[in-house]
Structures are given as C-alpha cells and as structure tokens.
Amino acid sequence: MATDTARKIGPVILLGPPGAGKGTQSKKIVEHYGIPQISTGDLLRDNVALGTSLGLQAKSIMARGELVPDELMYGIVGVRLRNLDCKRGFVLDGFPRTSAQAEWLENFLRIEVFDKSDKCPPIVIQLVVDYNQLLVRLTGRRTCLACGRVYNLHLNPPLVSESCDDDGSKFYIREDDREEVISSRFNAYEQQTRQVVNHYRDQHQLVAINADRPVETVTAHIFSVIDRHCVHGC
Ligand code: ADP
Ligand code: AMP
C-alpha cells in the first residue's frame, strides 16, 4: 500500500545507463507515492509480445541494443501520459533517451499535462553506477514470468534458485542482456543519452545519486530528493 498519496508529486525522471536500477527504484517510488511507473522498455516489450505494428518495427532494433526512432516513441509515451492516473505525477523509466525526446517532453509537459497554474517542475535523478558493476547487474538480471519482479542472481538472489519468492514462477532472461548486446546498449547510452544528462545538468535540474549502494539506501536517498523538491518545487 502506498503511504504518501495525498499530495501532488509531478514528473520524476530517472536517468542512468542500462542496469543502473531505474526499474527497481521506480517500483519503490510507485509503492511509496502511489504514482505510476512509465517504463518505455516495458511498453515496447509489450508491443513486441502482442505483435502490434510498433512492436514489429521495434523488435529487431531492440534485439540489436539500439534506440527505437524518436517518432515512434512519442506516440506511446503521449498516449500513456495522457492517462488520468498520471495527473498527480508519474515516474519516467527509460525516457527521455535522446536530446530530441527531452525537448519533446518539455513541450508536452508545458502544453498538455499540467496547465500553467498547476505545474510541478520535473525531478530529474541520475543513477550513477560504474560500467563493471553494470555488467555484473545485467548478466545476473532475472525477471519473474508471472509478476515481473526483478531479481539478480549475483546480488539479490531468490530464496529458491531460479524461481520467484512471491509466486514460485520461473524466470526469464531478457534477450538484450546478452554480453554482445549489452555493449551496444552502453554505446547508445554514451552516444545519445549522455547528452540528455548534460542538458538537465546545464539547466541545474539534475540530482546525481551514487546508485552503487544497497537498494534500500538508494531508495531512501531518492525519497529525500523527492520530498525536498515537493516542499520547494510544487
Ligand atoms: P534498469 O531498469 O536501470 O535497467 P534494473 O532496475 O532492472 O535496472 O536493475 C538491473 C539489475 O540490477 C537487476 O537484476 C536488479 O535486481 C539489480 N539491482 C538494481 N539495483 C541494485 C542495487 N542497488 N544493488 C544491487 N543490485 C541492484
Ligand atoms: P530498457 O528496458 O529501458 O532497458 O529498454 C530496452 C530497449 O527498449 C532499449 O535498448 C531500446 O531499444 C528500447 N527503448 C526503451 N526506451 C526507449 C526510448 N526512450 N527511446 C528509444 N528506444 C527505447
């Protein structure tokens, strides 16, 4: 049960390379503040699984570890953010990933989601983890087939091997968590997403957090950033 559901939170943007903990921390924010997680990776994987037109276009790009074209992303993100459950706020996990997406989001938030009298500036948090640790995290990532809970074989293993503590279901390994694809995803991050981080830093909107600490320690730090921002920012 979420514990802090009365006040407006606004957009929370989690930035960081693959494996930094965006999904893990998004779920903690969802539980605590009762706002939804918008994971563009999950939205795309759902489209691939359903065989939609978007999924068919995205499938091979994702398998190579490259970024899906911006124009395809605006459609799914726009539809999702217009949903009523986003009115108090939302956590963006995996978006924006290019400078064009960041610009699109700024316009979208200004024009569509919050009107001028009712506007919370985004809280932009960068999760910082070094590449050796990211590789350990990504190669050990396992996801429950039934509930989507994310484990790590090296760092956060289940009680019984290869099955979910909550429902006993089997795990799956993400296709793009193979080492040869991981290097291409890191490359996409450095070539395209690093500029987004720099943009928010230049705007003095970025809070960088050391995310190479236990999950609960990182969560506590993120909550303190959100709580401080909501006192001063909203
Ligand atoms: P992202 O969404 O940024 O790609 P995830 O949240 O899926 O990253 O985390 C990647 C892997 O690292 C998962 O297996 C997860 O259990 C593990 N993980 C996440 N945060 C931490 C942490 N603070 N310490 C150790 N392992 C972590
Ligand atoms: P993630 O689950 O965030 O690691 O994303 C998995 C894959 O989905 C990425 O490697 C990209 O191929 C694609 N993807 C997710 N979000 C975006 C985005 N904002 N822009 C472009 N491609 C994306």
Side-chain angles (χ1 to χ4, degrees), residues 11 13 30 68 82 91 117-118 152 163 177 183 188 224:
I13 300 174
V30 169
V68 172
R82 284 188 194 102
V91 194
S117 61
D118 186 20
N152 195 284
S163 64
D177 278 346
S183 63
S224 75

Side-chain angles (χ1 to χ4, degrees), residues 33-224:
Y33 295 100
I35 56 175
Q37 171 192 11
I38 317 297
S39 157
T40 45
D42 285 348
L43 290 173
L44 288 167
R45 280 184 288 277
D46 289 347
N47 275 272
V48 170
L50 291 168
T52 65
S53 151
L54 169 64
L56 293 174
Q57 293 175 81
K59 188 174 180 179
S60 59
I61 301 171
M62 294 171 75
R64 291 196 298 273
E66 296 167 8
L67 294 187
V68 172
D70 294 331
E71 291 67 30
L72 294 180
M73 299 308 300
Y74 302 150
I76 41 164
V77 175
V79 166
R80 185 63 190 87
L81 292 184
R82 284 188 194 102
N83 205 302
L84 275 182
D85 68 342
C86 291
K87 286 292 171 207
R88 268 185 64 240
F90 47 86
V91 194
L92 276 171
D93 158 9
F95 188 94
R97 259 176 154 106
T98 65
S99 297
Q101 291 180 13
E103 196 179 321
W104 176 90
L105 180 66
E106 269 164 32
N107 285 327
F108 186 90
L109 294 178
R110 195 173 57 243
I111 296 163
E112 297 212 35
V113 175
F114 299 105
D115 67 32
K116 288 199 174 65
S117 61
D118 186 20
K119 188 169 159 54
C120 294
I123 303 167
V124 189
I125 297 173
Q126 178 195 14
L127 301 179
V128 180
V129 180
D130 80 45
Y131 276 106
N132 290 330
Q133 177 66 11
L134 291 172
L135 201 54
V136 174
R137 287 189 183 186
L138 291 171
T139 51
R141 174 158 60 184
R142 298 290 184 277
T143 309
C144 171
L145 266 170
C147 70
R149 182 168 163 188
V150 178
Y151 291 83
N152 195 284
L153 290 192
H154 315 303
L155 307 161
N156 170 29
L159 297 173
V160 177
S161 82
E162 296 289 333
S163 64
C164 180
D165 294 346
D166 294 336
D167 51 38
S169 299
K170 292 283 167 218
F171 292 154
Y172 73 89
I173 304 177
R174 271 176 52 171
E175 294 229 1
D176 58 357
D177 278 346
R178 286 176 294 120
E179 273 196 61
E180 59 275 26
V181 186
I182 289 173
S183 63
S184 147
R185 291 162 67 208
F186 286 167
N187 195 40
Y189 183 80
E190 288 303 335
Q191 299 300 318
Q192 292 161 281
T193 312
R194 182 69 71 185
Q195 296 160 20
V196 177
V197 174
N198 293 342
H199 164 77
Y200 287 117
R201 182 180 296 120
D202 293 347
Q203 303 289 314
H204 306 289
Q205 280 188 290
L206 188 75
V207 181
I209 283 186
N210 171 11
D212 195 357
R213 294 179 290 170
V215 170
E216 298 69 27
T217 310
V218 178
T219 304
H221 195 160
I222 291 175
F223 287 0
S224 75

Side-chain angles (χ1 to χ4, degrees), residues 2-17:
T3 50
D4 188 356
T5 56
R7 65 204 165 105
K8 192 155 193 153
I9 305 297
V12 179
I13 300 174
L14 291 187
L15 298 175

